[in-house]
């Protein structure tokens, strides 16, 4: 099982625009059009599923919120940080 990161490790390693919220890291992506957000959420879901790592994704009218945590470890791990970077690459 992966080790959880400390708050300091999270702040030092999380990609820009991601912030810690309890035992998760969170980012809100903004979109001009609703369907652009839906397309992005689908792409994120496909990347996550390939890695067997499943974030919480909330699609709203002009934004998509993504929350990452490693439930089995009980907090944020290196895998969450890596996935955040991969999601940013999509955007």
């Amino acid at each position: 099982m992966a080790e959880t990161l400390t708050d300091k490790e999270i702040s030092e390693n999380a990609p820009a625009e991601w912030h810690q919220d309890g035992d998760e890291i969170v980012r809100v992506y903004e979109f001009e059009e609703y369907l652009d957000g839906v397309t992005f959420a689908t792409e994120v879901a496909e990347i996550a599923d390939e890695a067997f790592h499943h974030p919480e994704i909330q699609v709203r009218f002009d934004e998509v919120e993504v929350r990452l945590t490693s439930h089995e470890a009980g907090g944020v791990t290196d895998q969450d940080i890596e996935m955040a970077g991969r999601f940013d690459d999509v955007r």
Side-chain angles (χ1 to χ4, degrees), residues 1 10 19-20 25 50 64 79-80:
M1 182 183 314
I10 293 168
H19 69 275
Q20 185 176 2
I25 55 173
E50 288 173 6
V64 175
Q79 186 179 22
D80 298 300

Side-chain angles (χ1 to χ4, degrees), residues 1-40:
M1 182 183 314
E3 295 283 323
T4 58
L5 301 175
T6 65
D7 292 349
K8 182 179 180 187
E9 290 171 324
I10 293 168
S11 67
E12 290 175 350
N13 294 297
E17 299 191 45
W18 284 84
H19 69 275
Q20 185 176 2
D21 182 15
D23 63 351
E24 302 174 316
I25 55 173
V26 181
R27 178 167 179 195
V28 175
Y29 297 87
E30 296 181 0
F31 296 89
E32 293 290 322
E33 301 290 330
Y34 173 74
L35 288 179
D36 293 338
V38 171
T39 299
F40 172 76

Side-chain angles (χ1 to χ4, degrees), residues 30-86:
E30 296 181 0
F31 296 89
E32 293 290 322
E33 301 290 330
Y34 173 74
L35 288 179
D36 293 338
V38 171
T39 299
F40 172 76
T42 300
E43 292 172 356
V44 163
E46 289 172 356
I47 291 168
D49 197 50
E50 288 173 6
F52 200 69
H53 197 70
H54 303 97
E56 181 178 314
I57 304 168
Q58 185 175 43
V59 178
R60 295 188 280 269
F61 173 72
D62 61 351
E63 61 187 23
V64 175
E65 181 182 80
V66 180
R67 293 179 166 270
L68 285 161
T69 190
S70 295
H71 296 287
E72 68 283 348
V76 178
T77 66
D78 285 329
Q79 186 179 22
D80 298 300
I81 301 295
E82 177 188 339
M83 295 305 296
R86 291 183 67 191

